[in-house]
Amino acid sequence: MTASSYSSGRRVPKLSLAKHLDRFLPLVGVFVLLLLWWLIAISGWVNPVLLPTPWTTIATLFQAMVTGTMAIDFGTTVLRTFGAFVTAALIGVPVGVALGSSEKLYRSVEFLIDFFRSTPASALIPMFILFFGVSDLSKVVIAGFSAFLLIVFNSAYGVIHAKQSRILAAKVMGANRWRVFKDVLLMESLPQTFIGLRSGISIALVIVIVAEMFIGTEQGLGKRIIDAQQVLNVRDMYASILVTGLLGYGLNVLFLMLEKRVIHWSGK
């Protein structure tokens, strides 16, 4: 064995080890956060009643999920979030694609889309309560409206900014307007549309949680958080906040995986 082949053979395990270690990089921030949380909790800087240790919070989370009612609250919030998101996506994607395919039509409603998209959804809650009351429908409608605006904007943006070179190439090859729309414009808009869908489900979850906090309801993570805060049940409050964050992160990861699978050709 030559010196070069020997040295290259020695480098392979190191490179392989480095690649395996890179997979754990996202966990570094998690461990740092938990360590800081634990150090602050035991330092005495904060009243222990107001800030339990992370291990106590995690134990409370598992106990509430297994033997308590957190699983019911979790399921209720998930159902409301997906109800709002699916409704917004089924309406928002076709509307966004239709608006994006006609620049004049999009410009005619651009102000309305940007105006409502820039208005905090929480500020519209009283208006939706007037129209839909304090039922579950109002929570789904509020969240769906917020998600709808994001999905429409991103879908339209994706169609408007489709690569002109591919559109021209399709026309040169004899494709009619429908084929150009279906095979070029629609496919080109998918990456931006998925950004809108991912943002839409995130904002739907946020608005559902806020609505559960301030609109009368019997179940839901938002209701659980505000109830725990009012009776100073801080362990349950932190556990509920933690599971809400995990839910949001999980939904984001799910859509990233779906995006990579559906539009694997993006950027090529």
Side-chain angles (χ1 to χ4, degrees):
M1 182 182 295
T2 64
S4 61
S5 62
Y6 175 77
S7 61
S8 63
R10 291 288 298 275
R11 283 198 298 268
V12 171
K14 292 182 179 179
L15 291 174
S16 178
L17 179 61
K19 186 177 292 186
H20 284 299
L21 290 175
D22 285 345
R23 295 178 181 177
F24 295 97
L25 282 177
L27 297 177
V28 173
V30 177
F31 285 121
V32 170
L33 175 62
L34 292 175
L35 180 61
L36 289 174
W37 180 359
W38 177 71
L39 289 174
I40 294 171
I42 66 171
S43 66
W45 297 341
V46 181
N47 189 332
V49 175
L50 301 180
L51 185 65
T53 64
W55 328 120
T56 301
T57 302
I58 294 172
T60 302
L61 190 158
F62 280 105
Q63 183 179 6
M65 273 289 189
V66 175
T67 63
T69 59
M70 186 179 285
I72 298 174
D73 292 321
F74 180 87
T76 301
T77 297
V78 169
L79 286 176
R80 287 171 179 157
T81 300
F82 272 97
F85 168 74
V86 170
T87 303
L90 290 176
I91 301 174
V93 172
V95 170
V97 171
L99 291 175
S101 62
S102 173
E103 189 170 352
K104 291 183 179 179
L105 181 60
Y106 178 77
R107 298 303 176 196
S108 67
V109 297
E110 183 178 15
F111 172 78
L112 291 177
I113 294 175
D114 286 340
F115 174 80
F116 284 108
R117 191 168 58 90
S118 303
T119 303
S122 55
L124 300 176
I125 288 179
M127 182 185 72
F128 281 98
I129 292 176
L130 288 176
F131 285 100
F132 300 99
V134 293
S135 63
D136 276 357
L137 178 62
S138 64
K139 303 173 185 62
V140 173
V141 171
I142 294 168
F145 178 74
S146 301
F148 167 79
L149 294 173
L150 283 174
I151 293 170
V152 165
F153 173 79
N154 282 279
S155 298
Y157 185 89
V159 174
I160 291 173
H161 292 83
K163 291 182 180 178
Q164 295 298 317
S165 58
R166 295 186 180 181
I167 296 174
L168 292 174
K171 289 181 178 179
V172 167
M173 289 186 287
N176 56 31
R177 293 184 64 181
W178 167 246
R179 291 295 299 273
V180 170
F181 174 78
K182 180 174 69 73
D183 296 335
V184 181
L185 284 176
L186 197 59
M187 299 301 289
E188 284 284 311
S189 71
L190 280 180
Q192 192 67 34
T193 298
F194 264 90
I195 292 176
L197 292 173
R198 184 153 43 90
S199 302
I201 198 165
S202 296
I203 195 65
L205 175 61
V206 170
I207 300 304
V208 164
I209 294 294
V210 172
E212 289 174 346
M213 286 181 172
F214 300 108
I215 301 178
T217 184
E218 295 296 326
Q219 297 165 340
L221 291 174
K223 170 71 171 175
R224 189 183 188 92
I225 292 170
I226 202 70
D227 284 350
Q229 182 266 334
Q230 289 176 348
V231 300
L232 211 62
N233 185 2
V234 292
R235 292 184 179 182
D236 195 79
M237 184 188 74
Y238 282 109
S240 301
I241 293 173
L242 185 59
V243 78
T244 302
L246 291 172
L247 173 59
Y249 177 77
L251 291 174
N252 187 65
V253 170
L254 176 64
F255 269 80
L256 282 174
M257 293 172 59
L258 186 63
E259 182 178 344
K260 288 181 180 180
R261 191 174 186 86
V262 174
I263 52 173
H264 52 85
W265 41 263
S266 178
K268 298 180 180 178

